[in-house]
Amino acid sequence: MGQLNLNRIQKFYGTYEVLKGIDLEVKNGEFVVFVGPSGCGKSTLLRMIAGLDETSSGDILIEGKRVNDLPPVKRGIAMVFQSYALYPHMTVFENIAFPLRVEKMAEEKLKAKVEHAARILHLDQRLQQKPGMLSGGQRQRVAIGRAIVREPKIFLFDEPLSNLDAALRADMRIELAKLHRQLQATMIYVTHDQVEAMTMADRIVVLNAGQIAQTGAPLELYHKPANTFVAGFIGNPKMNFLPVRCKGVSDAGVEVDYKGQTAVIPVAPQGGLVGRTLTLGVRPEHITLGPGDLTLKVTPTVIERLGAHTVAYAAIGGEGENFCAMLPGTAAIRPEVTIQTGIQVADCHLFDEAGIALERHVELTDIDMGVLDPAAA
Amino acid sequence: MSQPAMINRYRWHELVAIYCGIFVFLAFILAPFVEGFLVSLKPLGLLFSSPYKFWPENGSFAAYKSMWVSVPGFARYIFNSFFISSIVTVIVLVLVVPAAYAFARFKFRGSGALLAAFLAVNMFSGAVLLIPLFRLMRSLGVLNTYFAMIVPGVAFLIPSAIWLLRTYMMRIPRELDEAAFVDGASHFYTLRRVILPIAMPGITVVAITTFIGSYAQQFIFALTFNSKTEYMPLPIGLYAYFGRQEVIWNELMAASFVGIAPAVILIFLMQRYLVAGLTAGAVKQ
Ligand SMILES: Nc1ncnc2c1ncn2[C@@H]1O[C@H](COP(=O)(O)OP(=O)(O)OP(=O)(O)O)[C@@H](O)[C@H]1O
Ligand SMILES: [Mg+2]
């Protein structure tokens, strides 16, 4: 039994089903990130865990106790809002002290706690200022300060960094990761920024249209996406999908045919695939110049030079879909000049007609020891 | 001299038009005041001299002294007006602040219907309902008391006050309530510590409009529900300057200015709560 358990959580707004039965277990001290496209129900799920929205059905358990009918404080959670939700008429000190004032904590103890929180968040110089005088990052830290003084069992963050500029976001990301290590608390973090998800999470929960598409460690999602949705959502630029035909199945993998070229993709074999149309997935960063196990001739239409990489976009096939390749920064390519690109079978993903992945022969433990057991990391 | 921002720059003929417009309206608003003040300075005999002189010759503040003598109870009338309006304002605020908060924040059955009903009540002025109100007060036995002038006043001022304050409170981000709720605060604690301080400018506007509204409606309520001289408010008191034969115009004008002075001072003092931008930094914009 984890610290937080969600059992078949559903949420309806009228007849519209926003969350379609969520099951999840979060362990003590874990940093779990919910990602998903806009409108998939991340905030709704978080607000239900917080106790701000009612669950339509299903149970929320914290440390084994059903908390569906308890108010937020009794659940032992604290929440940092998508907007900062600071009290504009109070000083930073009073903002951070607010939950303690509600508890009617003795002045001395309160002061010590607020100052401790302010020191962790580098706000000690700002305690007497009002939120209106602070920068975005400082305001966000005040909001976090208000959450940590109460020493909750579980922290909930709803896109806390979404309105900060890129540099500040990177700083805050690092500070949040530090804070997590320092406090050893369970954190649940909502974002639609996959860099935040990949860098901070022990475990990522990918939501799609009210359902969990996959749960796993960041690298697990990257290397073994369970379906085309996760494959396309994790990783930037997005994974390329090519339609292929299954020619045969053996122990070594599945033999596929792409426009006359054949290759054996090392995935777990399944019966009944022969003759079917499958989807071959390959990430832009795994495409190389020159021939490979599969070779594609493409004509880039747009080339983005980012310094470290060169990203080339080309239309392939009749589908008009963009094929994207991430090549070295100095790649000698030009728009409208046809090039040869290669794909290695070891880098390929294969999905069946329903978009479900055939398991790849990749040992995740070779990539990252901690990947399969986040608690041990 | 710094140039105003591009969007605030006008051509000369635009400026002329703007100032002409301002002048016309100001003239209509201020002329009666100026005339009234000048009348209060003139001796009574000169008021009807012809040709009429706009500017007072040998004007003096004598009327401001003699007014207290010709109507000895005048101070009491001022006090009554001020007293009634203050009590009305306090009662309205006490009732309206939580009500507006509830209308702004909670979804409950009939809230829309209630708000619509409030608007409808506003369309009836108290005057239409004077007879039923009179009968009601008579059967309650409260005619000729302060009560008779305060309670109807409160009743008729509440609807517009709720509408005003509700609109203001709806502009306070809901996340603030939610954050307070997550931190364990009760609804009343949130109202007192979070919403009230932020809504202060809105509450001040409501207080001022209620106070003024109460001043304005006293006349009709006092005239109908009260016949005791000692409870009469200012507007009725001014009638005392209408003698049998003649109206003491200069004292009447002087008394009008003196009578509204306390209210003007009070409103002037309340103004400092009318600060804008109280929600700066609350949420991401
Ligand atoms: N009060 C509500 N009434 C009706 N529908 C709602 C309500 N709140 C949310 N929804 C719907 O629930 C769905 C999920 O909303 P939610 O806010 O959880 O999305 P999200 O994943 O947090 O998106 P974002 O990344 O844009 O914040 C949306 O389709 C939204 O339209
Ligand atoms: Mg959201």
Side-chain angles (χ1 to χ4, degrees), chain A residues 42-43 82 158-159 190:
Chain A
K42 307 181 295 287
S43 298
Q82 191 159 356
D158 190 352
E159 307 203 24
V190 166

Side-chain angles (χ1 to χ4, degrees), chain B residues 78-96:
Chain B
I78 297 179
F79 169 80
N80 284 342
S81 260
F82 200 76
F83 176 73
I84 293 171
S85 288
S86 303
I87 298 290
V88 166
T89 307
V90 169
I91 297 177
V92 166
L93 285 185
V94 166
L95 296 177
V96 157

Side-chain angles (χ1 to χ4, degrees), chain A residues 164-238:
Chain A
L164 304 182
D165 67 52
L168 200 51
R169 202 173 337 174
D171 286 349
M172 286 297 294
R173 213 163 60 210
I174 294 164
E175 290 197 30
L176 273 175
K178 264 195 235 157
L179 193 69
H180 176 235
R181 210 167 319 126
Q182 210 168 341
L183 300 175
Q184 301 282 335
T186 308
M187 294 188 172
I188 300 178
Y189 189 104
V190 166
T191 180
H192 53 224
D193 181 318
Q194 50 160 303
V195 178
E196 278 173 33
M198 295 297 282
T199 54
M200 295 198 286
D202 292 324
R203 209 146 53 100
I204 297 178
V205 176
V206 183
L207 288 169
N208 179 26
Q211 273 168 322
I212 294 185
Q214 191 177 358
T215 309
L219 291 183
E220 190 182 344
L221 298 192
Y222 180 83
H223 291 288
K224 287 191 168 184
N227 47 50
T228 45
F229 177 80
V230 176
F233 192 80
I234 301 287
N236 187 27
K238 200 168 161 289

Side-chain angles (χ1 to χ4, degrees), chain A residues 76-369:
Chain A
I77 58 99
M79 180 154 170
V80 177
F81 285 80
Q82 191 159 356
S83 60
Y84 319 107
L86 299 179
Y87 309 122
H89 57 293
M90 298 182 189
T91 60
V92 169
F93 183 95
E94 286 303 322
N95 263 286
I96 297 179
F98 188 88
L100 306 179
R101 295 246 187 257
V102 175
E103 279 175 30
K104 301 207 171 62
M105 180 178 282
E107 187 67 32
E108 215 121 290
K109 208 168 149 207
L110 175 146
K111 200 154 176 262
K113 285 202 172 205
V114 172
E115 277 166 3
H116 178 66
R119 239 186 336 271
I120 294 178
L121 297 164
H122 312 292
L123 286 168
D124 10 14
Q125 303 303 315
R126 307 267 168 193
L127 283 176
Q128 292 318 316
Q129 292 180 342
K130 299 259 174 81
M133 299 160 69
L134 302 181
S135 72
Q138 288 164 340
R139 283 181 206 173
Q140 196 50 271
R141 289 206 294 258
V142 176
I144 294 168
R146 196 172 56 191
I148 67 178
V149 273
R150 236 180 50 213
E151 295 167 17
K153 286 178 267 188
I154 303 175
F155 284 91
L156 306 176
F157 295 94
D158 190 352
E159 307 203 24
L161 310 183
S162 59
N163 270 32
L164 304 182
D165 67 52
L168 200 51
R169 202 173 337 174
D171 286 349
M172 286 297 294
R173 213 163 60 210
I174 294 164
E175 290 197 30
L176 273 175
K178 264 195 235 157
L179 193 69
H180 176 235
R181 210 167 319 126
Q182 210 168 341
L183 300 175
Q184 301 282 335
T186 308
M187 294 188 172
I188 300 178
Y189 189 104
V190 166
T191 180
H192 53 224
D193 181 318
Q194 50 160 303
V195 178
E196 278 173 33
M198 295 297 282
T199 54
M200 295 198 286
D202 292 324
R203 209 146 53 100
I204 297 178
V205 176
V206 183
L207 288 169
N208 179 26
Q211 273 168 322
I212 294 185
Q214 191 177 358
T215 309
L219 291 183
E220 190 182 344
L221 298 192
Y222 180 83
H223 291 288
K224 287 191 168 184
N227 47 50
T228 45
F229 177 80
V230 176
F233 192 80
I234 301 287
N236 187 27
K238 200 168 161 289
M239 183 185 281
N240 297 299
F241 296 112
L242 306 170
V244 293
R245 219 169 170 71
C246 179
K247 290 194 73 181
V249 176
S250 66
D251 279 350
V254 176
E255 187 180 11
V256 297
D257 168 276
Y258 177 73
K259 293 184 178 167
Q261 303 179 58
T262 56
V264 178
I265 313 294
V267 294
Q270 256 179 33
L273 285 177
V274 179
R276 303 237 170 163
T277 304
L278 304 178
T279 305
L280 182 79
V282 59
R283 297 195 182 277
E285 55 269 39
H286 293 145
I287 293 171
T288 51
L289 275 178
D293 296 338
L294 281 173
T295 305
L296 270 65
K297 274 210 167 88
V298 295
T299 312
T301 48
V302 176
I303 292 177
E304 294 173 345
R305 294 203 180 266
L306 302 175
H309 313 286
T310 300
V311 183
Y313 297 92
I316 54 160
E319 313 91 61
E321 240 191 62
N322 255 345
F323 180 79
C324 175
M326 202 170 190
L327 304 167
T330 53
I333 54 171
R334 265 184 293 152
E336 309 303 342
V337 176
T338 304
I339 51 167
Q340 224 180 23
T341 57
I343 300 168
Q344 307 305 317
V345 287
D347 295 327
C348 287
H349 301 250
L350 202 56
F351 304 92
D352 68 13
E353 283 160 315
I356 308 298
L358 301 164
E359 198 186 344
R360 294 175 73 208
H361 294 324
V362 182
E363 275 309 321
L364 285 177
T365 39
D366 292 346
I367 304 161
D368 177 356
M369 294 296 285

